[in-house]
Amino acid sequence: MSFASLGLSAELVRAVTERGYTEPTPIQAQAIPVILKGGDLMGGAQTGTGKTAGFTLPLLQRLADKQVVGKGHIRALVLTPTRELAAQVEESVRMYGKHLPLKSMMMFGGVNINPQIKQLLGRVDILVATPGRLLDHLQQKTVDLSHVEILVLDEADRMLDMGFIRDIKRVIAVLPKKRQNLLFSATFSDEIKLLADGLLTNPALIEVARRNQTAELIEQRVYPVDRERKRDLLTHLITENNWFQVLVFTRTKHGANNLADHLNKHDIPAMAIHGNKSQAARTRALAEFKTAKLQVLVATDIAARGIDISELPHVVNYELPNVAEDYVHRIGRTGRAGSSGEASSLVCIDEKKLLNDIERLIKRDIPVVNVPGFDVDPRIKAEPILNGSNRGQGGGGRGQGQGQGRGQPRAGGAGRTGGAPRTGGGKPAGAPKPAGAGRGPVPSGAQHRSGGRGR
Ligand code: AMP
């Protein structure tokens, strides 16, 4: 299947070809024709599936098909939960739209509002914004949304998690009633269904497998460790195994700062990103990390949301997330687009329950690795790791395994998205219910289990 066969114009096909994409991902193959026809869409897809191009390409085409002369108005509005995601989406809009005469703008808080006000005085066809700052502009009457034809809610579940529901509703209230609505969400909680129900008309339902569902390429490991020794263990793992481009998740902003300081003191270049950091600091840290100048990026879940860092070799859960689903989001940042990756979790005794929840969600036990020299709380039972990959062959024994296992054959061919997308038309009774509804689909399929841990 080609992009042209989906009905995209020559300008857009040229842009994606220049970007190096040869064929559409499943979400793109499903979403693009629906959006081109002008229908509403409920997309079950998360970052990494190619969803951004999935809505950006047809959105650009619809706007380009109906050119407006002169300064024009804002005709498409994309709402995202975070500044980073807004920046990324807007960059995609610019890239895919580079052969079209359309102008885009990104808008988020944490930066001076005046340049935004100035930019809004010029031509803006597509506005990519976070809800808070957009509301500021609405209140100051510095933005006019009365000509919006297409509304996109990207990562809607995240926006709700972050408490943006009222802001979103206030924005929707000022939009023209007749418009096309596209909602993307990785999960389908009751709250999302309620939002979708009020927003979408006869939506097509498209769901693609969670990235991790096919990500057999992710080597997951649990490192049992006493709470006080986590920093040392992390330093040890990074140094001993020469890990580069390590994304480390902490639960708190304070914890992120402390950990970054600790790593820097041990000659491991690290920076923290979280909501209290200025936009300039976040952008700088991300840029340095992406270009591999920065060895470690320590992030809170919210700061990391939506960040597209592809083919990341290492994700570390310095602390397990409170919500098991966040584990899936976090580790999904590694092993992307066919490249292998390692997801390591440093787990202390207080996190045993969280670990159980995660293993229940992902429907498998995560291999446990004991690192010699790091006292393990005896209540977290470790099991021998076999050749670092726990695949059941070869010898093993306590203490083996950390940092090994790369370069070994892995199960599955794993395309970048895989999975069977499902489409449904027509508005179902009540809210849209893509298959796997509830708290979302879970990864499955990888064969990496060692003997049961007897839960
Ligand atoms: P997204 O899910 O939109 O964040 O996209 C995830 C990554 O996939 C981004 O780095 C995109 O550049 C990349 N991508 C999007 N579409 C394609 C495609 N058709 N082929 C290859 N890579 C793609």
Side-chain angles (χ1 to χ4, degrees):
M1 186 184 306
S2 68
F3 281 100
S5 70
L6 296 176
L8 290 174
S9 67
E11 291 87 349
L12 291 166
V13 173
R14 205 167 118 213
V16 291
T17 310
E18 285 166 3
R19 181 69 218 260
Y21 305 160
T22 48
E23 60 178 306
T25 66
I27 185 91
Q28 291 163 1
Q30 302 275 314
I32 290 171
V34 169
I35 302 172
L36 283 178
K37 278 201 202 105
D40 280 7
L41 174 77
M42 169 99 164
Q46 58 175 207
T47 305
T49 52
K51 72 174 159 60
T52 314
F55 67 76
T56 303
L57 291 165
L59 177 150
L60 285 164
Q61 177 146 333
R62 282 185 64 75
L63 299 187
D65 280 352
K66 235 185 347 148
Q67 277 297 331
V68 176
V69 282
K71 176 187 161 298
H73 298 280
I74 295 167
R75 298 169 60 202
L77 172 65
V78 184
L79 290 181
T80 72
T82 62
R83 307 160 187 188
E84 281 80 8
L85 187 59
Q88 261 168 40
V89 170
E90 201 265 340
E91 194 189 331
S92 298
V93 170
R94 257 183 294 130
M95 181 181 56
Y96 300 130
K98 67 183 182 182
H99 303 300
L100 296 171
L102 295 166
K103 285 235 175 318
S104 58
M105 169 179 173
M106 65 178 162
M107 172 192 286
F108 45 68
V111 294
N112 190 334
I113 199 165
N114 292 326
Q116 295 176 354
I117 295 175
K118 205 164 149 223
Q119 196 177 351
L120 286 164
L121 293 172
R123 176 173 181 151
V124 178
D125 299 284
I126 302 137
L127 177 63
V128 185
T130 53
R133 178 54 65 90
L134 181 59
L135 266 187
D136 291 346
H137 281 280
L138 279 172
Q139 270 150 12
Q140 296 189 28
K141 302 206 186 326
T142 45
V143 70
D144 173 12
L145 299 178
S146 65
H147 292 79
V148 168
E149 298 161 34
I150 307 175
L151 169 70
V152 183
L153 298 186
D154 194 11
E155 305 208 352
D157 50 347
R158 295 298 182 189
M159 288 201 270
L160 297 192
D161 286 351
M162 291 166 78
F164 284 139
I165 184 70
R166 285 178 58 197
D167 291 357
I168 293 171
K169 286 191 170 153
R170 284 161 71 189
V171 171
I172 291 173
V174 305
L175 300 179
K177 296 284 163 284
K178 191 171 165 305
R179 52 166 205 272
Q180 184 175 14
N181 300 290
L182 315 173
L183 182 150
F184 290 88
S185 179
T187 54
F188 294 99
S189 62
D190 289 344
E191 222 186 344
I192 283 285
K193 287 181 207 156
L194 208 64
L195 176 68
D197 222 15
L199 184 70
L200 308 174
T201 313
N202 291 330
L205 309 179
I206 295 177
E207 192 192 14
V208 294
R210 236 168 221 285
R211 187 169 60 232
N212 314 25
Q213 225 162 345
T214 51
E216 290 88 358
L217 296 172
I218 302 176
E219 299 248 2
Q220 299 177 58
R221 299 200 177 121
V222 161
Y223 293 90
V225 60
D226 287 331
R227 193 182 323 111
E228 306 73 41
R229 302 214 59 206
K230 280 194 177 185
R231 297 192 319 183
D232 296 333
L233 175 60
L234 181 62
T235 312
H236 171 87
L237 289 172
I238 293 174
T239 320
E240 287 298 300
N241 302 307
N242 229 344
W243 284 352
F244 265 84
Q245 273 202 313
V246 192
L247 178 61
V248 181
F249 285 94
T250 60
R251 252 191 253 159
T252 63
K253 299 171 192 173
H254 184 63
N257 286 339
N258 280 348
L259 184 59
D261 287 347
H262 178 86
L263 294 171
N264 281 315
K265 275 192 202 115
H266 288 78
D267 298 323
I268 299 172
M271 277 195 204
I273 58 166
H274 51 66
N276 286 0
K277 292 270 178 184
S278 71
Q279 185 53 37
R282 287 159 74 168
T283 308
R284 195 180 69 232
L286 195 60
E288 293 194 3
F289 187 62
K290 276 185 165 182
T291 53
K293 276 193 213 132
L294 184 67
Q295 193 171 357
V296 179
L297 189 64
V298 187
T300 55
D301 285 296
I302 288 189
R305 245 152 229 178
I307 294 178
D308 172 29
I309 309 167
S310 49
E311 307 185 5
L312 199 56
H314 298 282
V315 166
V316 174
N317 295 302
Y318 186 75
E319 285 139 342
L320 289 180
N322 282 329
V323 180
E325 277 230 329
D326 281 343
Y327 175 85
V328 179
H329 285 288
R330 287 179 178 187
I331 72 161
R333 306 195 164 274
T334 184
R336 300 175 73 165
S339 66
S340 62
E342 293 178 0
S344 310
S345 301
L346 311 192
V347 181
C348 66
I349 184 67
D350 333 8
E351 296 170 300
K352 187 97 210 280
K353 183 181 171 304
L354 297 177
L355 179 61
N356 286 342
D357 291 348
I358 289 166
E359 292 185 324
R360 223 185 343 264
L361 176 74
I362 66 174
K363 298 202 172 82
R364 69 173 103 137
D365 286 353
I366 305 170
V368 174
V369 180
N370 263 311
V371 179
F374 285 84
D375 291 337
V376 174
D377 189 312
R379 286 166 296 177
I380 300 182
K381 188 172 165 289
E383 61 189 23
I385 180 121
L386 305 175
N387 279 345
S389 67
N390 259 38
R391 199 144 298 126
Q393 351 77 332
R398 286 168 77 88
Q400 278 198 33
Q402 85 266 19
Q404 299 175 16
R406 291 184 71 87
Q408 298 202 7
R410 294 184 176 91
R416 55 185 311 290
T417 42
R422 278 179 286 267
T423 318
K427 186 159 176 129
K433 275 192 200 61
R439 284 301 285 170
V442 292
S444 63
Q447 298 301 315
H448 289 217
R449 280 200 52 152
S450 54
R453 196 135 13 104
R455 268 175 294 130

